[in-house]
Amino acid sequence: MKKLPIFIAVLFVAAVLAFSSFFVVDERQKALVLQFGQIKAVKEEPGLSFKIPFIQDVVYYDDRILSLETPEIEVTPSDDRRLLVDSFARYRIADVVKFRQAVSTGGIRLAEDRLKGILNAQLREVLGADTITSNTIISAERASLALRIRDKSRIEAASLGIDIMDVRLKQTFLPEQNLEATFARMRAEREREAADERARGAEAAQRVRAQADRTVVELKSDASRQAEITRGEADAEKNRIYADAYGADPDFFEFYRSLDAYRKGLSGENTTMVISPDSEFFDYLKSNSGR
């Protein structure tokens, strides 16, 4: 009977030792087996594994793709228009040995603090390059800029045992103190563009008016020329007819011209003429037989 408690105690100690000797790695995790702080084994496959109890410890790390949001930072593109930019990244722990050596007991929190520093440095470097303007950052080219930031950050993050899967720019906006100055500059630019458009429109209108005025002058000149030609031809025809009539019967022609002169000179209802009594103008009115 005295041996029974001893046997139970031995069984209990054996059970504790057996329980402490095994550990389970989840499919969402990776594990390191540490002995006095030194890495003795890396467990990346899920399942049941063995360790030396009370001497070795197991540290687990998440093997899933994790998210990291960076705080807003101020960048200055090449056009000196300061912008506030924030981003987020997707990453995973690719090498748990490097990760442990880089952050020691700091874990994921220390790693993310360092990762934020890397991302912020690359944001400033890429978005502050000489060829990058604020319009480039807010245009469709921001996707290619995010790829450049990811590639540059991935190189530095590899020393932490981290693989950066993706980087995206979330928001891009102006600091509050710069909004009014930016809006004023935008208004000035739009007013200058409007003035240029009005000037070009006025210049085009002036050209159209000048062309129209020249066309009017040309048309009037051509019409006047044609009218003068027509009048000249009509006068020549009239003179020819008069000459033919005079040659056929000079007395009758002279009589006709006198009557025409009377008609034109005495056309009004109350016409007064001052003329010498011996004028030949009324020769055909002084006698029934004419001159």
Side-chain angles (χ1 to χ4, degrees):
M1 295 297 294
K2 293 182 180 180
K3 295 182 179 180
L4 182 62
I6 298 174
F7 180 71
I8 294 174
V10 171
L11 286 178
F12 177 77
V13 171
V16 171
L17 290 175
F19 182 79
S20 302
S21 299
F22 295 95
F23 64 94
V24 177
V25 179
D26 191 272
E27 63 270 12
R28 297 167 295 180
Q29 295 176 325
K30 294 180 181 180
L32 290 178
V33 179
L34 305 178
Q35 182 174 326
F36 305 116
Q38 301 296 319
I39 300 173
K40 291 300 182 180
V42 179
K43 303 297 181 180
E44 296 185 345
E45 298 297 327
L48 186 66
S49 298
F50 176 79
K51 69 180 180 67
I52 301 174
F54 306 113
I55 296 177
Q56 294 180 339
D57 296 321
V58 179
V59 180
Y60 296 96
Y61 295 101
D62 203 325
D63 194 33
R64 295 173 295 180
I65 296 176
L66 306 176
S67 297
L68 174 66
E69 294 191 5
T70 63
E72 295 176 0
I73 63 170
E74 187 175 290
V75 298
T76 305
S78 59
D79 57 356
D80 294 330
R81 183 182 294 177
R82 292 186 299 169
L83 296 175
L84 290 177
V85 179
D86 59 356
S87 64
F88 74 90
R90 303 283 188 186
Y91 74 96
R92 63 185 294 271
I93 301 173
D95 190 331
V96 289
V97 175
K98 279 188 177 181
F99 186 83
R100 177 70 183 186
Q101 292 172 345
V103 301
S104 185
T105 59
I108 198 71
R109 178 173 297 180
L110 178 59
E112 288 191 345
D113 288 341
R114 294 186 180 180
L115 196 56
K116 287 178 182 178
I118 292 173
L119 290 171
N120 289 341
Q122 295 306 322
L123 279 169
R124 288 192 172 93
E125 180 180 344
V126 173
L127 301 184
D130 292 339
T131 58
I132 304 302
T133 66
S134 56
N135 291 332
T136 306
I137 297 174
I138 62 178
S139 69
E141 295 184 36
R142 62 189 293 154
S144 62
L145 295 175
L147 290 177
R148 290 169 57 184
I149 295 169
R150 183 202 65 183
D151 294 341
K152 288 178 173 291
S153 301
R154 176 178 285 174
I155 296 173
E156 295 190 30
S159 62
L160 300 176
I162 291 175
D163 181 23
I164 298 179
M165 314 295 292
D166 190 20
V167 173
R168 297 295 176 91
L169 301 179
K170 290 171 56 180
Q171 298 185 82
T172 304
F173 49 93
L174 294 168
E176 189 67 31
Q177 63 270 22
N178 291 353
L179 284 176
E180 187 59 36
T182 301
F183 289 154
R185 184 166 57 214
M186 292 172 63
R187 282 193 295 268
E189 290 176 356
R190 296 301 178 270
E191 289 173 356
R192 178 182 57 78
E193 292 175 359
D196 291 343
E197 288 295 330
R198 285 194 293 268
R200 285 193 289 269
E203 181 181 357
Q206 185 62 32
R207 286 198 300 269
V208 172
R209 283 194 293 267
Q211 181 64 32
D213 292 341
R214 187 176 69 178
T215 302
V216 169
V217 171
E218 290 175 353
L219 290 175
K220 286 183 176 181
S221 176
D222 187 64
S224 298
R225 183 176 59 82
Q226 293 295 334
E228 290 296 331
I229 291 173
T230 302
R231 279 195 293 268
E233 292 175 348
D235 290 342
E237 183 65 17
K238 180 184 71 172
N239 293 333
R240 186 188 63 80
I241 293 172
Y242 283 160
D244 291 345
Y246 183 79
D249 191 347
D251 291 335
F252 177 76
F253 180 76
E254 187 174 353
F255 173 69
Y256 173 79
R257 294 294 301 272
S258 297
L259 292 180
D260 186 57
Y262 296 158
R263 179 180 61 81
K264 293 180 179 179
L266 303 174
S267 60
E269 295 181 357
N270 186 15
T271 301
T272 301
M273 298 185 67
V274 179
I275 194 169
S276 173
D278 56 353
S279 173
E280 295 180 357
F281 183 72
F282 291 108
D283 283 350
Y284 282 98
L285 297 180
K286 294 177 181 179
S287 171
N288 291 334
S289 60
R291 286 192 296 182

